[in-house]
């Protein structure tokens, strides 16, 4: 019903002279929960018909599919995302073009939901003098944070309170070197969380081959 009203109003406003398109600016930013339906309406305020409409996300043109629907008729074009996913976050642009020129407008869609994996750590085998880098990363909105743990006596403890051999090289990556078999070999885990359940959790093993000749550490 809303699209019908917008369409009728736009037809009343359309100029009859030879003019390039001018469209009503899209809403600058939209926040929606994961799984909701997103809809954008590109309304022609001025311009001579016929007008062609093209929708894009970033630099990629969008076509109708099982996930998206595009309907265009004279003075209006609509884009509907039927059930939004985290990957649907981004900038959406409508461009209207006729023989006299074009106009465009962009809206940012922000999808709020729990994180999904970008990089999940795997089991590691490392020599006692080798450096090891381990990444644990996810994407979501709000932006997730990563916490690291080590299993000690069947209890999961904060990694950096349990050992000083590992350091953070970025918010999503740790590094360690000169690992000792007796102290550092074992099971580790990382959690990716942004306050929206469920958070992500994975476990991995570090295997140390050989011993480092040190009196103490």
């Amino acid at each position: 019903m809303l699209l019908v009203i917008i369409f009728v109003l736009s037809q009343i406003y359309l100029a009859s002279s030879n003019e390039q398109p001018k469209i009503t600016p899209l809403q600058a930013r939209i926040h929606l929960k994961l799984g909701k339906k997103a809809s954008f309406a590109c309304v022609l305020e001025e311009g001579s018909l016929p007008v062609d409409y093209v929708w894009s996300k970033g630099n990629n043109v969008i076509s109708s599919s099982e996930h998206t629907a595009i309907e265009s008729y004279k003075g209006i074009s609509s884009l509907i995302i039927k059930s939004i996913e985290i990957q649907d976050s981004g900038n959406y642009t409508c461009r209207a073009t006729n023989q006299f020129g074009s106009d465009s407008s962009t809206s940012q869609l922000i999808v709020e939901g729990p994180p999904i994996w970008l990089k999940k750590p795997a089991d590691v085998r490392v020599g006692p003098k080798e450096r090891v880098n381990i990444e644990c990363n996810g994407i979501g909105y709000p932006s997730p944070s990563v916490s690291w743990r080590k299993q000690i006596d069947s209890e999961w403890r904060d990694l950096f309170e349990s050992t000083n051999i590992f350091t953070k090289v970025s918010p999503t990556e740790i590094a360690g070197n000169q690992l000792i078999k007796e102290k550092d070999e074992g099971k580790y885990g990382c959690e990716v969380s942004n306050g929206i359940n469920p958070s992500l959790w994975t476990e991995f093993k570090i295997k140390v081959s050989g011993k480092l000749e040190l009196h103490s550490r």
Side-chain angles (χ1 to χ4, degrees), residues 8-206:
V8 171
L9 292 176
S10 69
Q11 294 303 299
I12 295 174
Y13 197 81
L14 287 178
S16 59
S17 59
N18 296 335
E19 294 181 337
Q20 70 179 49
K22 178 183 178 182
I23 58 177
T24 302
L26 299 175
Q27 185 175 339
R29 187 173 291 108
I30 301 174
H31 289 257
L32 289 174
K33 298 290 185 181
L34 187 72
K36 297 293 185 180
K37 182 171 69 174
S39 59
F40 305 85
C42 187
V43 180
L44 188 67
E45 291 185 357
E46 302 174 3
S48 303
L49 299 175
V51 173
D52 292 324
Y53 299 92
V54 175
W55 288 93
S56 59
K57 180 188 177 189
N59 296 322
N60 300 315
V61 174
I62 302 172
S63 302
S64 292
S65 65
E66 293 183 359
H67 188 56
T68 58
I70 297 175
E71 296 181 357
S72 301
Y73 182 76
K74 293 186 179 180
I76 188 170
S77 179
S78 64
L79 166 66
I80 297 174
I81 304 174
K82 301 171 186 178
S83 179
I84 57 176
E85 304 170 354
I86 292 295
Q87 300 93 323
D88 291 320
S89 293
N91 294 323
Y92 290 80
T93 299
C94 173
R95 178 171 294 277
T97 304
N98 66 10
Q99 59 179 319
F100 305 105
S102 65
D103 189 23
S104 65
S105 183
T106 298
S107 178
Q108 182 184 19
L109 174 61
I110 299 173
V111 181
E112 299 178 357
I116 60 173
W117 284 112
L118 285 179
K119 179 70 174 182
K120 185 187 296 187
D123 292 345
V124 175
R125 180 180 292 272
V126 61
K129 294 185 179 181
E130 295 177 351
R131 177 183 173 92
V132 58
N133 286 64
I134 303 171
E135 184 179 359
C136 179
N137 197 6
I139 186 174
Y141 188 89
S143 296
S145 59
V146 179
S147 58
W148 300 86
R149 296 183 179 89
K150 181 181 180 183
Q151 190 179 55
I152 301 176
D153 297 330
S154 301
E155 181 181 348
W156 288 101
R157 300 182 185 178
D158 182 272
L159 175 62
F160 303 105
E161 294 178 359
S162 305
T163 177
N164 60 3
I165 200 67
F166 288 96
T167 58
K168 279 189 176 183
V169 296
S170 78
T172 62
E173 186 177 1
I174 60 173
N177 53 29
Q178 296 188 341
L179 275 68
I180 296 177
K181 182 178 180 68
E182 291 79 3
K183 294 183 178 180
D184 303 312
E185 189 172 82
K187 185 177 288 187
Y188 293 75
C190 72
E191 182 180 30
V192 182
S193 176
N194 67 352
I196 301 177
N197 292 326
S199 59
L200 302 176
W201 169 258
T202 190
E203 301 171 10
F204 59 97
K205 294 179 180 179
I206 294 181

